[in-house]
Amino acid sequence: MPISPGTRFGPYSVEASLGAGGMGEVYRATDTRLDRKVALKVLAPHLSSNPDLRQRFEREAKAISSFNHPHICILHDVGTHEGTSYLVMELCEGDTLAERIARGPLPPDQALRYAIEIADALDKAHRQGIVHRDLKPQNIMLTKGGAKLLDFGLAKYRPPETVAFDEPTQQKPLTSAGTILGTFKYMAPEQLEGKEADERTDIFSFGVVLYEMVTGKHAFEGRSRASLIAAILDKEPESISSVAPMTPPAFERVIRTCLAKDPDERWQTAHDVLLQLKWIAELGSEAGVAKPVLARRKNRERLAWTTAAIASAALLMTAGVMVWRAARTERLSLKFNLVPPDDVNVDFDLQNCGALTISPNGRLITFIGKKGDGKPMLYIRAVDSLEARPLLGTEEPSFPFWSPDSRQIAYFAAEKLMRVDLNGSPPIGVCPVEPSARSGGWNSEGTIIFSPSSLSGIYRVAAGGGKPVIVTKLDTSQRETTHRWASFLPDGKHFLFMAGSHSSGTRSESNAIYAADVGTGSRSLVLRARSNVAYSQGYLLYERDNVLVAQRFNPGKLKVEGDPIPVANGVRYDTAFFRGIFAVSSNGTVVFQPGRSAAANELAMFDRSGKKIADVTAPGGFLECRIAPDGTAVALTIEDVANGTTDIWIQDLTRGVRSRFTFGELQEANAVWSPDGKRLAYSDVQKIADDVFVKDVAGGEEKPLFVNDDTKQPSAWSPDGRLIACDVRKTGQNKSDIWLVPVDGIAKPYPFIHAPFDERGGNFSPDGKWFSYISDESGKPQLYVTSFPDRSKRWQISTDGGVGGFWSKNMKELVFVDLKRNLTSVSIEEEGNALKVGKATVLFSSAGVVSGDLLADASEVMLIREPDQGVGRPLTVMTDWTADLTKSH
C-alpha cells in the first residue's frame, strides 16, 4: 500500500513516491535532522517480517554502507519502523540508464565513459566481497557527476526458497526487481541453471548492459520466458559491428568476452574489464574510436584531463615514475624506473628475456606476465602509466616486435609467427615456425624478417601471411650456427642482424653484427659483437660487458664511425640467448633491465624448501655445477667475463680449494662425473662444434671420445661406467637426439633415442634399469622415463613441462624444474618391471637459478643463482638519451 506524504520513518519524512518494485517501494524523503534529501526504500512486509532475513539484510547493509566511491549510490542508514524495515540511500537526480537507452544507443565515447565508471564501481564492490546480482540499466542512474550504481543494499540477499523472477517496476524503476538474484533478461547462464553466483555473474550482466548501451537493443530476445532462457543459454547476440558500426572493435571484444557462456571464459575480475576499457579510452583513434568522436571528447573534457594529469603526475612521482613533457630550450636526458604491476608476475628470465620491447613511437612497452596460475600473456604498458593490460589471445608468447606504425605486434606462439592489432582484434597467424624462433623486424612495406629457429638464417614473409623465403644463410666456415635479432634500418630495404656461434665465447670473431639487403641477402660486416642491435637517432645500440653502448652509424654506407660510447652501465645480459635486456624506440627512448654479469653469480646450498643453508664459495662467473658421486667435490663451469671463454674447475667442498681442470682456448662445459668420481667427461669446442673428451680428475691428458662436425654435449655417465649419454645435434638440424658413447673408445657411438622431436638431457637411474630424458613430442618439453636398455616401456613424469631430471640415490624420487620455474619432485616406486609414478610436488621456485644439482640423498640442492632474480625487477627508462652523448663527446 502506498505511503502518504508526511509519514515518518524515524527522522525521515516521506514527500513523494519515486517508484515501486517487487522488493518494495522508493520515496523521496527528508532527513529532518540534517535537512538532507534522501531516497527512502521501504521493504515489502513479507521480507520485513522474517527476522532471519532482516538480520542478514542489516548485516550486509552495514557492510555496503562502508563504500565510499563516486559511482556507487551511498547507503546512509538502515532501520525498522513499526515492524517495517527500511533503508536510506543517497538521492540521485537524473535519468536511469534504461530511460536513456529508450531514447536510442549512446555515442561510443559516452558509452565508454559510463562503462569505465560502472566497472570501477563493480571492482570496488567485488573487492569487498559484494556481488550485485541484479545489474541492469534500471539500477544505474546517470547524474551530472556520472553513473551511479544502485541497490547494493539488496544485492546479496537471497531467500532460502526457490528462485522467483522479477516483477515489473513502475514509474522510475530505481529498485531491484523481484528478487536479488537478478532481473530475468540480465541473468547469467549459471543463474538460470540455479548455480551459485559470483563476481563473474555480475560481469555477464555488465556485458548485457554494455551491449544495450551501444546498440540500443537487448542482447537476448524471446517471445516467452522459455525462449528467452534458451537464447541466454545457447545463442550469441547479434554482432555489434552490424548494429552499431561506429563501435570500436576493442570495445566490442570487451563486451563479447563479458558475454561468454562459460564463466571461466569471461573476464575473471571487474578490474580486468576496467583496465581494458581505460586502455581503449587512452588510445582513442588508435584503438578504433572514430577521430571525430575522439576530438569531441578531447575538447569537452580538456579541463578535466588537465586536472587529472596534474594528479597523475604526483602519483607517478611518488611511485618513482616520472615523465618529462614540458618544452625546453636545453636538451636533457631523463632517467627513471618503472616498477612492475603488483598483481602481475613479470618474468624477464630465459625464454621471456626477449619480451621487453618499446614501440617505435616510444609510448608503449611490452613484457610477459601472468596473474596467479593463469597462462603467461603479452602485456602492454604505457611509459607514463602505472597500469598494464594483457593482449587477449596472446597466451605463452615469446620475442615480440612492433609494426613501424606502433599499432600491431608480431610474436611467436604455438610454433607460429603471430600478429595482433592493438585495437582488440584477435591474433592472426602469419606462418609456421620452430619452437625456438627468434625476434624480428617489420618495415613499412609490410615485410617481416625473423629467425624461424635458433639455428637458422633470417627469413622474410609478408605480414599478411604466406610462405617464408630465406634471406641469409649460415656461413659454417666462420663457425656460424645462428642468425638472429633482425631489425630494419630506416630505408626498409636493409636490416641488421647478429651472426653467432653457440660454441664460442662472447669475444669470439664468430660473433658479429651485419647489415643485409632484404631482397638479395647480400651482407656486409658492421662490427664484432655478441648482442642484439638497434638503430636509433643516428647510432647503433648494443651491449658489451653489461654496458649498453652507442656507436655512430651511417645508414647510407652501412658503416660505423668512431668508438662506442657508454649509454648505461649494469644492463642485464642473458648468455643463453646472446641478448641484452634492452629496447630502443625510433624517437630516442631507451628501456632496459638493470642486472649484473655472471661474475656476480652465487653458489650455495639450499634445503628442500628453498632456504639457503650455506654459501659454497664467494660469487663468481658460475654457469654450471655437477656434484661428485661421493659429495666431496663439485665440477664448475666458470666464465671468464673478460674474454668470454669458459673452463671447468673442480672445487673441493671439504677444504674449499678450487683448481682449474681444463685449459682450452674457447669453451669447455657440460661436465659429468664417472660413477667412481675419478674422471670427468665434458664438451670442448674444437673446430666448428663441441666434441666430447674424457680426463682423469687427478690430471693428465684429455682423451677424445666423440669427435665430428656435429654438436655434442654429455649429460650423464652410466652406473656401470661403460656409457656416456650425449645430446647430439646434427649439422644443419634444429633438434637433438640422445646418443650413447662407449667409454672404452673401441665401440662406436650410436643413437639411443632418435625421433623427429627434440630429445635431450638424458640421465641414468642409480641402478641402471631406467633412463630419464626430455622430449617435446607433446608440443612442449616434458620429462619421460623409459626402461633401459630396451626402451620397451615408458612413462611421462611431468605434466606441466619439465627440464632437467635428477634421480635420488634410493630410487624413490625424480626432481626436475617445470616450465613455471618451480623445482618439482615426483615420487617413483618400482613394481616389478614397471614404475608407479606419484603426484608432482612443488618444492620451491627456481626463478633466477642458472644451474643446479642434487645431493645423492636428495636432502639438499646446490644452485647457481643470479644475485638478483629476474622476477619483479624494475625497468629503467631513458628519454632523449642522445643529449648526454652530444654533451660529453
Side-chain angles (χ1 to χ4, degrees), residues 516-643:
D517 186 291
V518 72
T520 65
S522 60
R523 55 168 158 154
S524 58
L525 177 66
V526 177
L527 55 90
R528 297 288 179 185
R530 188 181 176 96
S531 169
N532 46 321
V533 63
Y535 174 84
S536 178
Q537 305 289 295
Y539 290 87
L540 294 186
L541 286 92
Y542 56 98
E543 187 163 346
R544 175 173 290 176
D545 299 334
N546 291 101
V547 177
L548 181 63
V549 299
Q551 194 165 359
R552 280 283 184 186
F553 181 72
N554 188 323
K557 296 180 179 180
L558 303 178
K559 299 289 185 181
V560 290
E561 301 170 349
D563 297 324
I565 305 168
V567 174
N569 294 320
V571 177
R572 191 160 177 249
Y573 180 83
D574 197 296
T575 56
F577 290 93
F578 321 148
R579 178 185 176 105
I581 314 302
F582 74 89
V584 188
S585 71
S586 300
N587 64 355
T589 299
V590 175
V591 58
F592 65 88
Q593 187 179 46
R596 287 183 275 180
S597 70
N601 286 350
E602 67 172 357
L603 180 69
M605 298 300 299
F606 297 80
D607 65 18
R608 292 173 64 90
S609 69
K611 180 181 178 181
K612 183 193 289 189
I613 299 173
D615 290 311
V616 176
T617 184
F622 309 119
L623 298 180
E624 298 171 347
C625 61
R626 295 298 290 267
I627 303 173
D630 62 2
T632 62
V634 58
L636 298 169
T637 300
I638 302 179
E639 179 184 13
D640 184 340
V641 179
N643 58 31

Side-chain angles (χ1 to χ4, degrees), residues 76-91:
H76 294 310
D77 195 7
V78 60
T80 303
H81 176 70
E82 296 181 354
T84 298
S85 296
Y86 65 87
L87 54 86
V88 182
M89 302 175 293
E90 171 189 9
L91 181 63

Side-chain angles (χ1 to χ4, degrees), residues 328-606:
R328 53 197 185 273
T329 57
E330 181 185 1
R331 293 179 61 212
L332 296 173
S333 175
L334 181 66
K335 188 175 181 179
F336 57 92
N337 288 338
L338 289 178
V339 180
D342 292 336
D343 59 342
V344 180
N345 183 21
V346 182
D347 190 349
F348 289 104
D349 286 341
L350 295 180
Q351 66 265 29
N352 292 345
C353 75
L356 177 62
T357 71
I358 187 167
S359 58
N361 62 16
R363 293 179 53 194
L364 301 169
I365 63 170
T366 64
F367 60 86
I368 290 174
K370 66 177 182 177
K371 290 188 176 182
D373 294 329
K375 292 183 178 181
M377 297 181 68
L378 192 61
Y379 277 74
I380 288 182
R381 173 176 176 167
V383 172
D384 58 352
S385 172
L386 291 174
E387 296 181 343
R389 74 170 190 92
L391 289 177
L392 297 182
T394 61
E395 288 81 5
E396 299 183 345
S398 65
F399 300 108
F401 55 97
W402 290 84
S403 63
D405 61 3
S406 300
R407 295 190 177 187
Q408 297 185 70
I409 298 175
Y411 64 96
F412 303 99
E415 299 188 17
K416 289 183 180 179
L417 171 61
M418 309 290 293
R419 62 181 176 90
V420 61
D421 199 305
L422 299 192
N423 66 7
S425 301
I428 299 173
V430 178
C431 66
V433 297
E434 297 288 337
S436 61
R438 298 290 180 259
S439 189
W442 193 334
N443 70 7
S444 58
E445 302 299 322
T447 297
I448 288 177
I449 49 175
F450 67 102
S451 306
S453 82
S454 63
L455 300 168
S456 71
I458 306 296
Y459 284 66
R460 70 170 185 265
V461 69
K467 184 178 180 180
V469 176
I470 188 169
V471 180
T472 68
K473 296 182 180 180
L474 301 178
D475 185 350
T476 56
S477 68
Q478 295 296 316
R479 300 167 60 177
E480 294 178 358
T481 60
T482 182
H483 289 175
R484 58 180 66 182
W485 314 138
S487 61
F488 273 107
L489 289 168
D491 64 4
K493 297 178 181 179
H494 295 88
F495 63 91
L496 302 166
F497 70 95
M498 189 208 80
S501 170
H502 288 82
S503 302
S504 63
T506 57
R507 295 296 181 84
S508 170
E509 293 294 299
S510 302
N511 304 305
I513 304 299
Y514 288 88
D517 186 291
V518 72
T520 65
S522 60
R523 55 168 158 154
S524 58
L525 177 66
V526 177
L527 55 90
R528 297 288 179 185
R530 188 181 176 96
S531 169
N532 46 321
V533 63
Y535 174 84
S536 178
Q537 305 289 295
Y539 290 87
L540 294 186
L541 286 92
Y542 56 98
E543 187 163 346
R544 175 173 290 176
D545 299 334
N546 291 101
V547 177
L548 181 63
V549 299
Q551 194 165 359
R552 280 283 184 186
F553 181 72
N554 188 323
K557 296 180 179 180
L558 303 178
K559 299 289 185 181
V560 290
E561 301 170 349
D563 297 324
I565 305 168
V567 174
N569 294 320
V571 177
R572 191 160 177 249
Y573 180 83
D574 197 296
T575 56
F577 290 93
F578 321 148
R579 178 185 176 105
I581 314 302
F582 74 89
V584 188
S585 71
S586 300
N587 64 355
T589 299
V590 175
V591 58
F592 65 88
Q593 187 179 46
R596 287 183 275 180
S597 70
N601 286 350
E602 67 172 357
L603 180 69
M605 298 300 299
F606 297 80

